[in-house]
């Protein structure tokens, strides 16, 4: 008898993307573009996007969507055989419980998806600590739903049991773990602070790369230093910071540090968890803000990064160079017509350098501008 082949690998989870555009919401660009980015996150996490659904509302409901759209989502779930519905905002615990009850399928939000991607990317102990802290802080207010089948909704047979006790036990365990992680990350911050002070004593200037995720920071680090950092066309292809010594043709040297990329609607818990890493920017003499000049939302991506730096109190414009990357992907028409005008908000800055990290175009000009700014800032400090 012929042997029957058996499929041994699991198929990707089939995902429906769901978004709501509300007045005064956090998204800086249209819902269609935000869902496109959510799709990139989902594919980075290993999902197959089978459908999208969006709605414009005055405000979100306790099921995130309006009743009609929720019915439409149920229909899409059945017709596409979707395994998971991914929502483009952070859901409240109530919204998540209501959606799981209505859909009878897995529900995750943008925050959980970003945390999942980060968990898969973290390689160092520090990175894993930061991701775990953010995951626990995200999980804590959502624990009640894990034991809803055992909660005491009233007296009588079948309603007594360990529900409340187990819930409180879980909360205590999670809180204890959060405190332990915070203590360990505080040790990381102390170690980094000592390392920064040692670098300052040695007089080696520091240059930091920042930018929206997938802007090409890792590719630029590799081009300048042969760092061998993974650079993929995926969101958050690298997570842990990497520092390399750069030596220019005229013998000048500085340290170049790559940092985690930013993204719109980045969870506050994640920003807080990664503060130890992002504080590396505090000691930077120059910040290279890398921008994907080809992206249709380049100006909005710049705004996201600027707002995040301001939140971290790292918004010193005088130390910044805008690096417009991926110029090799622009056609001649895009270089000469209204494309540059559309990016006017991006290039409205004193120091702008145009490069292609992938083709290694414009790197000498970038190094020259960086050294000039390092010298200028050194002179400002009277060194």
């Amino acid at each position: 008898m012929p042997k029957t082949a058996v499929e041994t690998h699991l198929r990707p989870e089939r995902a429906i993307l769901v978004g709501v555009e509300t007045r005064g919401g956090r998204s800086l660009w249209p819902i269609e573009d935000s869902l496109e980015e959510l799709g990139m996150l989902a594919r980075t996490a290993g999902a197959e996007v089978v459908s999208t659904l969006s709605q414009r509302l005055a405000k979100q409901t306790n099921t995130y969507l309006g009743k009609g759209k929720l019915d439409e989502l149920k229909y899409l779930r059945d017709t596409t055989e979707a395994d998971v519905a991914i929502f483009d905002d952070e859901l409240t615990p109530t919204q998540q419980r209501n959606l799981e009850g209505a859909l009878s399928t897995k529900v995750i939000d943008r925050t959980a998806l970003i945390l999942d991607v980060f968990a898969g990317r973290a390689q160092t102990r520090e990175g894993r600590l930061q991701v775990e802290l953010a995951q626990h802080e995200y999980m804590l207010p959502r624990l009640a739903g894990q034991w809803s089948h055992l909660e005491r909704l009233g007296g009588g047979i079948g309603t007594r049991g360990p529900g409340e006790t187990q819930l409180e036990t879980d909360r205590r365990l999670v809180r204890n773990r959060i405190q332990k992680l915070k203590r360990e990350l505080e040790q990381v911050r102390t170690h980094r602070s000592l390392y920064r002070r040692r670098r300052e004593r040695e007089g080696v200037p520091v240059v930091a790369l920042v930018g929206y995720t997938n802007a090409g920071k890792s590719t630029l680090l590799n081009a300048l230093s042969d760092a061998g950092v993974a650079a993929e066309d995926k969101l958050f292809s690298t997570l842990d910071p990497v520092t390399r010594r750069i030596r220019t043709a005229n013998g000048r040297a500085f340290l170049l540090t790559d940092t985690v990329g930013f993204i719109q609607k980045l969870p506050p818990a994640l920003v807080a968890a990664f503060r130890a890493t992002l504080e590396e920017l505090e000691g930077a003499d120059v910040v290279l803000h890398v921008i994907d000049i080809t992206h249709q939302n380049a100006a909005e991506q710049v705004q996201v990064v600027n707002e995040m730096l301001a939140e971290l109190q790292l918004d010193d414009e005088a130390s910044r160079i805008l690096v417009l990357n991926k110029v090799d992907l622009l056609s001649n028409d895009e270089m000469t017509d209204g494309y540059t005008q559309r990016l006017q908000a991006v290039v409205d800055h004193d120091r702008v350098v145009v490069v292609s990290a992938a083709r290694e175009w414009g790197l000498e000009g970038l190094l020259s501008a960086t050294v000039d700014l390092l010298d200028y800032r050194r002179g400002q400090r009277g060194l």
Side-chain angles (χ1 to χ4, degrees):
M1 293 179 62
K3 292 184 178 180
T4 303
V6 177
E7 197 78 25
T8 57
H9 68 276
L10 297 175
R11 68 171 176 83
E13 287 187 282
R14 297 166 64 83
I16 300 174
L17 309 181
V18 187
V20 164
E21 189 172 75
T22 58
R23 288 195 293 270
R26 289 180 64 192
S27 183
L28 295 173
W29 45 74
I31 185 64
E32 295 80 10
D33 293 344
S34 190
L35 284 174
E36 182 180 341
E37 181 178 84
L38 186 69
M40 289 186 68
L41 277 168
R43 285 184 283 271
T44 299
E48 175 190 357
V49 177
V50 295
S51 187
T52 61
L53 183 71
S54 63
Q55 185 175 25
R56 288 175 172 83
L57 291 173
K59 63 178 182 178
Q60 293 179 16
T61 69
N62 60 6
T63 54
Y64 186 77
L65 297 164
K67 185 178 184 304
K69 281 291 180 180
L70 184 58
D71 290 338
E72 188 177 338
L73 178 55
K74 293 176 186 177
Y75 175 78
L76 278 175
R77 172 207 60 195
D78 294 337
T79 55
T80 62
E81 298 182 349
D83 307 296
V84 57
I86 303 177
F87 291 79
D88 194 34
D89 295 281
E90 182 169 327
L91 299 172
T92 66
T94 299
Q95 285 176 326
Q96 183 147 357
R97 286 196 298 270
N98 289 342
L99 286 165
E100 287 172 346
L103 297 172
S104 299
T105 192
K106 183 161 66 172
V107 169
I108 65 173
D109 58 18
R110 174 182 269 259
T111 299
L113 181 60
I114 291 174
L115 289 172
D116 185 80
V117 172
F118 271 46
R121 298 294 186 185
Q123 299 298 320
T124 65
R125 177 177 174 273
E126 177 188 347
R128 289 192 291 269
L129 285 173
Q130 291 171 135
V131 173
E132 186 182 351
L133 174 60
Q135 287 175 323
H136 279 80
E137 292 189 326
Y138 171 81
M139 184 195 311
L140 186 58
R142 292 165 173 79
L143 280 176
Q146 307 299 318
W147 291 95
S148 57
H149 62 298
L150 293 174
E151 287 176 353
R152 295 180 180 173
L153 302 177
I157 297 171
T159 61
R160 293 183 290 267
E164 289 180 335
T165 302
Q166 183 63 58
L167 177 57
E168 288 307 315
T169 299
D170 285 355
R171 282 176 173 156
R172 186 174 66 255
L173 290 172
V174 171
R175 289 192 187 103
N176 289 343
R177 183 61 180 163
I178 286 173
Q179 292 306 313
K180 184 175 187 297
L181 289 167
K182 285 182 175 179
R183 287 194 297 270
E184 291 185 44
L185 282 171
E186 190 59 37
Q187 293 174 357
V188 171
R189 293 179 69 181
T190 301
H191 175 76
R192 284 188 177 277
S193 177
L194 292 171
Y195 181 60
R196 281 196 298 270
R197 285 201 289 270
R198 189 179 72 184
R199 286 191 317 218
E200 289 169 3
R201 287 196 301 269
E202 293 173 352
V204 180
V206 177
V207 177
L209 294 168
V210 300
Y212 205 85
T213 182
N214 211 32
K217 296 185 287 82
S218 296
T219 304
L220 183 58
L221 179 68
N222 287 337
L224 291 171
S225 68
D226 297 322
V229 176
E232 306 172 74
D233 187 19
K234 289 183 178 180
L235 303 185
F236 304 114
S237 63
T238 55
L239 180 60
D240 298 297
V242 177
T243 300
R244 294 291 184 269
R245 183 179 290 268
I246 307 295
R247 188 170 295 278
T248 66
N250 60 3
R252 297 291 299 277
F254 58 86
L255 297 178
L256 182 63
T257 298
D258 189 10
T259 59
V260 63
F262 297 124
I263 194 169
Q264 65 151 339
K265 305 180 187 178
L266 193 65
L270 197 56
V271 177
F274 274 77
R275 190 171 294 274
T277 296
L278 294 171
E279 281 178 353
E280 280 293 290
L281 297 171
E282 286 184 0
D285 300 280
V286 169
V287 173
L288 304 182
H289 180 173
V290 184
I291 301 160
D292 178 358
I293 195 175
T294 69
H295 200 283
Q296 60 188 350
N297 298 117
E300 289 81 3
Q301 290 183 348
V302 169
Q303 186 176 343
V304 168
V305 175
N306 287 342
E307 289 176 355
M308 198 67 65
L309 292 175
E311 182 180 333
L312 295 165
Q313 298 181 333
L314 300 170
D315 52 346
D316 181 10
E317 289 280 345
S319 67
R320 206 173 306 172
I321 297 174
L322 298 190
V323 184
L324 306 185
N325 189 28
K326 305 188 183 183
V327 67
D328 57 303
L329 300 181
L330 294 179
S331 67
N332 290 333
D333 289 340
E334 287 173 328
M335 291 293 288
T336 56
D337 65 12
Y339 193 88
T340 302
Q341 184 177 357
R342 184 162 69 84
L343 291 173
Q344 186 173 0
V346 175
V347 299
D348 185 19
H349 193 274
D350 291 340
R351 290 171 294 278
V352 180
V353 179
V354 178
V355 305
S356 166
R359 298 291 186 92
E360 300 190 2
W361 296 349
L363 299 187
E364 287 301 319
L366 174 59
L367 288 173
S368 177
T370 301
V371 169
D372 287 347
L373 185 54
L374 284 172
D375 288 343
Y376 173 73
R377 290 181 63 76
R378 188 179 178 87
Q380 278 187 319
R381 295 193 295 267
L383 299 175

